[in-house]
Amino acid sequence: MSKVLLPEAAIKHFKTEGTPISCEEFGSGHINSTYQVLTDLGHTYILQRINQYVFNDPKAVMENVGAVCEYLRERVSDPSETLHFLQSDVDTYYHIDENGEFWRCYEFADGLCLESPESDADFYESAIAFGRFQELLKDFPAHTLHETIPLFHNTINRYRLFKEALAANKSGRAHLVQAEIDFIMAREQEAGTICRLLESGELPLRVTHNDTKLNNVLLNKYSRKAMCVLDLDTVMPGSSLYDYGDSIRFGAATAAEDEKDLSKMTMDLNLFRVYTAGYLKACPGLTAKERELLPLGAKIITLELAVRFLTDYLDGDLYFKTAYSEHNLVRARTQLKLVWDMENKWEEMQRIIAEETAKV
Ligand code: ADP
Ligand code: GN1
Ligand code: MG
């Protein structure tokens, strides 16, 4: 039987300033196991165990993250704008424990991490942060990045995996979700649009973040200005439409990603406009086609995530962390409600994009 190894044991393998005196679970990420560590000299760190079900090549993840951080460090005006990793006792950016688990440790970035924007200005600043991140990486040598999750935002492949999960029905839950299956399948053709346009070259492939929800960015605690982009595990070649869209999905929604009362889940058109203005400002290099298709980015990424949550529900909850047995189903339904609301607001979304584009 494998020995249970604790974060308290893992942190000792990193070159912290001072001796760790506490180690508590931290944050609300769905993938890695995250802890906040304090030392007797008053230093604070983030310790993470990388989820190897999700990232089956953790060394590749750390190579990407390390390369991106180094690249950014040379280009930002203030060191607080990027993540800082600690070296382990064998001079690597990770520690492998006796169970083969990968741990990494960053300096704690003391900023504001929000689950929903507290003001229009907060959301605008998150757009500046993610937009600036993409701009800073525009000349990053994309071919040097590993694909840490193959076909991560390939929606066509996501549908294929969904159909496989449905056929396998490992959890025996398929009969409970026919309405959701019908909704998803009715949109299969449209869901592949961005993939096809990337394939044909009508949309550019860029180095993108690929996981741009609001709790993956920090604002400065005092000025509330954009500070630092977190969670770099999925930085890979991708589409700006998904980065923009995922921020809208999470931050312009009127309810949490796992709200059970679907009537509360809609898209706030004001927040949609606010984020769009910030993103267009921070990303002046978007092509006309990218700008035109921003609403489609929001819709497809929301649909794709619903498909991913429902796939995981059918598989028996293997990928996303869940707090209760129906959690992935609740999340999937909430995303589908948001897709439906976007469809009802489609013309207004197009109009807002045209108006904000005309201003830049
Ligand atoms: P996951 O992939 O599980 O989402 P993240 O890397 O996003 O993991 O970390 C989870 C949470 O931990 C973040 O949402 C944020 O609240 C916090 N966090 C991560 N890294 C840092 C850091 N360097 N400084 C401060 N907080 C951090
Ligand atoms: C996961 O790691 P986290 O919690 O920031 C997921 C995203 C989803 C998101 C939904 C590597 O993001 O793709 O959009 O949950 N990350 C990965 O909240 O799958
Ligand atoms: Mg995260």
Side-chain angles (χ1 to χ4, degrees):
M1 217 173 78
S2 65
K3 214 169 126 191
V4 178
L5 287 176
L6 300 172
E8 286 84 351
I11 190 66
K12 293 188 183 143
H13 293 273
F14 290 94
K15 295 175 180 170
T16 54
E17 295 215 24
T19 306
I21 50 171
S22 73
C23 179
E24 305 282 339
E25 277 192 55
F26 191 80
S28 56
H30 294 342
I31 303 296
N32 298 305
S33 300
T34 304
Y35 304 86
Q36 188 186 50
V37 175
L38 304 180
T39 74
D40 59 353
L41 294 180
H43 289 267
T44 313
Y45 299 95
I46 287 285
L47 175 72
Q48 277 184 329
R49 191 178 72 230
I50 299 179
N51 180 331
Q52 288 191 64
Y53 180 81
V54 170
F55 297 105
N56 48 40
D57 188 352
K59 283 188 190 165
V61 170
M62 290 313 292
E63 273 175 34
N64 277 11
V65 171
V68 168
C69 286
E70 272 172 36
Y71 188 90
L72 291 175
R73 202 165 303 136
E74 287 166 17
R75 286 159 180 83
V76 292
S77 42
D78 186 309
S80 68
E81 289 172 39
T82 106
L83 294 171
H84 299 271
F85 284 91
L86 268 69
Q87 295 235 309
S88 74
D89 46 11
V90 290
D91 293 328
T92 50
Y93 283 131
Y94 50 81
H95 160 68
I96 309 175
D97 74 17
E98 290 165 38
N99 291 325
E101 298 288 355
F102 276 68
W103 298 83
R104 63 184 171 197
C105 182
Y106 331 66
E107 280 174 25
F108 182 75
D110 197 11
L112 269 181
C113 183
L114 301 172
E115 291 301 320
S116 65
E118 289 172 7
S119 66
D120 289 1
D122 286 350
F123 200 39
Y124 182 85
E125 285 302 319
S126 73
I128 296 292
F130 283 124
R132 188 189 290 158
F133 180 86
Q134 191 187 294
E135 263 306 287
L136 283 169
L137 291 175
K138 71 174 189 295
D139 296 321
F140 187 95
H143 65 277
T144 63
L145 287 171
H146 304 281
E147 203 177 350
T148 54
I149 301 179
L151 305 177
F152 187 50
H153 287 318
N154 183 315
T155 314
I156 295 174
N157 192 55
R158 290 290 177 187
Y159 265 76
R160 189 180 63 73
L161 296 175
F162 171 65
K163 286 184 246 177
E164 277 176 21
L166 193 54
N169 194 14
K170 280 194 240 164
S171 63
R173 291 160 156 172
H175 65 288
L176 301 170
V177 293
Q178 195 54 51
E180 289 75 16
I181 296 168
D182 293 345
F183 186 100
I184 286 170
M185 292 315 298
R187 288 153 182 80
E188 183 175 16
Q189 183 60 23
E190 186 183 22
T193 313
I194 296 175
C195 288
R196 288 189 291 273
L197 292 171
L198 286 169
E199 186 74 20
S200 68
E202 286 167 85
L203 282 173
L205 200 61
R206 300 181 183 277
V207 173
T208 49
H209 182 278
N210 294 305
D211 190 0
T212 52
K213 56 183 181 178
L214 190 61
N215 62 22
N216 283 332
V217 70
L218 296 177
L219 304 184
N220 181 293
K221 266 170 130 176
Y222 307 104
S223 66
R224 297 186 89 106
K225 295 283 179 204
M227 185 175 129
C228 178
V229 169
L230 306 174
D231 204 344
L232 307 182
D233 298 337
T234 52
V235 175
M236 287 181 276
S239 170
S240 58
L241 300 188
Y242 294 134
D243 271 12
Y244 164 86
D246 201 44
S247 295
I248 296 295
R249 174 193 73 75
F250 190 84
T254 53
E257 189 178 78
D258 57 357
E259 171 59 54
K260 289 181 183 152
D261 179 352
L262 294 185
S263 71
K264 292 189 180 155
M265 184 46 126
T266 62
M267 196 192 50
D268 181 323
L269 283 171
N270 172 54
L271 287 173
F272 176 77
R273 183 189 288 280
V274 164
Y275 194 91
T276 303
Y279 198 70
L280 290 175
K281 175 149 197 269
C283 275
L286 293 185
T287 65
K289 189 77 176 169
E290 285 178 294
R291 289 172 186 202
E292 175 201 327
L293 294 182
L294 289 173
L296 194 65
K299 179 175 170 185
I300 292 183
I301 201 77
T302 309
L303 183 58
E304 182 193 281
L305 188 60
V307 168
R308 292 174 61 201
F309 282 143
L310 202 60
T311 302
D312 201 29
Y313 181 71
L314 292 167
D315 282 345
D317 308 320
L318 303 172
Y319 186 102
F320 295 101
K321 283 191 203 162
T322 49
Y324 54 94
S325 73
E326 304 297 289
H327 206 164
N328 274 320
L329 176 57
V330 167
R331 288 165 170 159
R333 286 185 172 146
T334 313
Q335 302 310 298
L336 293 178
K337 169 65 199 301
L338 191 55
V339 169
W340 186 80
D341 193 58
M342 288 182 195
E343 288 176 349
N344 290 328
K345 293 176 175 159
W346 201 241
E347 278 166 25
E348 285 159 281
M349 287 166 73
Q350 308 278 2
R351 184 172 48 75
I352 290 170
I353 294 291
E355 286 170 6
E356 293 305 319
T357 300
K359 287 184 198 164
V360 288

